[in-house]
Amino acid sequence: MAVNRRDLIDAVFHNEKTDRIPLGFWHHFLKDETGSDAFSHPELTEKVLAGQADFYKAFQPDLIKIMTDGYFSYPVESLKNPLTGPQDLKDLRTLGKDSDWFRFQIGYAKKLVSLYGKDVQLFYNLFAVPRTIEFMQDTAGHPVDLAEWIREDPEGTAHVFDVISEDYSILAKALIEEGGVDGIYLSVNNISYDRVSEEDYAKYVAPYELKILEAANEAKDNNILHICGYHGFRNHLEWYKDYPFLAVNWAAHVEGISLKEGKKLFHDKAVIGGFGQTEQDLIYRGSEEEIRKETERILTDTGTTGVVLGADCTIPRDTDIRHLEWIRRATEEFVK
């Protein structure tokens, strides 16, 4: 029996059998998604909304990851200045729900929910605190070494993560309860593959990622964890296997961990991905035959229960929509 796209994602996220495999691909809509400031330039949000509308019309995705181009920053001036360590942020305080940082993002979420929420589930992209700090320092031309922060002043670093994650946890809950989104899509990574130990990560980083996920779960237990492997960044995936999420996405091609292997690692949770996400991967340059064969290979290996076909991360902006349609047709033929 055919089900609508909202019900389809519910079924897949709960490892129920379905009559087709959903697809979840997404890309950025601003040229400079990290450095653009939609808080100071609200017109940028209109560009993102227009881009989202074009993509939705062309592709008809089975779920929407709400792209937060223009909202990557945390509006505290001290984070825009060169930072030598967490001591530079020792006086950091939370923003509060009346700030533009909250109001603008909840308003943005509401617009997208009003446009697409009846048809598909929407998941709001949030970055764990280390990524936010790195984005802002990189944009300002002052790359920061958070692994060194943890080595030199772990408690001070944890304090910074705690303060900012408090706002993120409140935002995550408000996006679901007030903004109407179906869940969050929380992006995390190891900070450094070989310079932060599992013990230090568990003590000084993980609690502030878990705070965000747990706040979102209080509102709705329907959230996605993304373990980011963008630009080839490696992660110890096992560090996240007990995080409280309903579905998980990681860079299978970067990590060398297939969807099948990941399902075992993550206690048979629903998985999202399967395809590489760069200009060198099939999603971008493959022929119809190659893409169809790869779709069949992934599903043969992984199975068809609890699987959303997607990519390691955000796909290139100019990816040919026909490539995504080839995947969709191949999945339809596979389940028949």
Side-chain angles (χ1 to χ4, degrees), residues 120-154:
V120 295
Q121 295 197 32
L122 297 94
F123 298 85
Y124 196 95
N125 180 70
L126 291 177
F127 291 99
V129 176
R131 296 296 290 134
T132 298
I133 295 173
E134 289 172 342
F135 285 142
M136 292 188 68
Q137 287 289 283
D138 286 348
T139 297
H142 315 297
V144 66
D145 186 347
L146 294 180
E148 189 67 11
W149 283 24
I150 292 171
R151 188 187 72 80
E152 292 189 346
D153 187 358

Side-chain angles (χ1 to χ4, degrees), residues 158 161-162 165 200-214 243:
F161 292 170
D162 187 27
S165 68
D200 282 349
Y201 195 91
K203 186 174 182 180
Y204 302 115
V205 184
Y208 312 108
E209 297 170 339
L210 291 168
K211 179 191 284 192
I212 300 168
L213 276 175
E214 288 165 356
Y243 274 35

Side-chain angles (χ1 to χ4, degrees), residues 13 26 63 65 123-129 131 183-190 201 205-206 208-214 216-217 221-229 235-252 259 262 265-267 269-273 311-313:
F13 277 17
W26 35 78
L63 62 87
K65 173 198 163 191
F123 298 85
Y124 196 95
N125 180 70
L126 291 177
F127 291 99
V129 176
R131 296 296 290 134
I184 64 166
Y185 177 98
L186 181 65
S187 179
V188 301
N189 68 27
N190 284 177
Y201 195 91
V205 184
Y208 312 108
E209 297 170 339
L210 291 168
K211 179 191 284 192
I212 300 168
L213 276 175
E214 288 165 356
N217 284 335
D221 181 15
N222 191 48
N223 299 293
I224 301 170
L225 183 72
H226 170 62
I227 306 165
C228 192
N235 293 278
H236 295 278
L237 298 185
E238 67 276 9
W239 294 3
Y240 306 102
K241 63 185 177 64
D242 296 320
Y243 274 35
F245 54 81
L246 202 57
V248 59
N249 171 229
W250 69 94
L259 295 189
L265 174 64
F266 294 112
H267 310 300
K269 295 286 184 67
V271 295
I272 303 171
D312 287 352
C313 196

Side-chain angles (χ1 to χ4, degrees), residues 252-325:
H253 289 246
V254 173
E255 308 289 0
I257 304 292
S258 69
L259 295 189
K260 180 181 179 180
E261 293 167 327
K263 254 192 165 297
K264 291 180 181 178
L265 174 64
F266 294 112
H267 310 300
D268 202 36
K269 295 286 184 67
V271 295
I272 303 171
F275 283 87
Q277 50 86 214
T278 74
E279 288 88 348
Q280 305 305 314
D281 289 306
L282 286 180
I283 195 71
Y284 189 80
R285 63 169 180 79
S287 67
E288 180 173 3
E289 181 181 6
E290 290 172 326
I291 288 174
R292 280 175 170 267
K293 283 185 176 179
E294 178 64 3
T295 303
E296 293 169 4
R297 185 199 65 76
I298 293 169
L299 294 177
T300 298
D301 184 57
T302 312
T304 60
T305 302
V307 176
V308 179
L309 283 186
D312 287 352
C313 196
T314 306
I315 62 175
R317 293 171 178 81
D318 59 343
T319 301
D320 193 329
I321 291 293
R322 293 180 303 165
H323 295 191
L324 309 185
E325 289 299 335

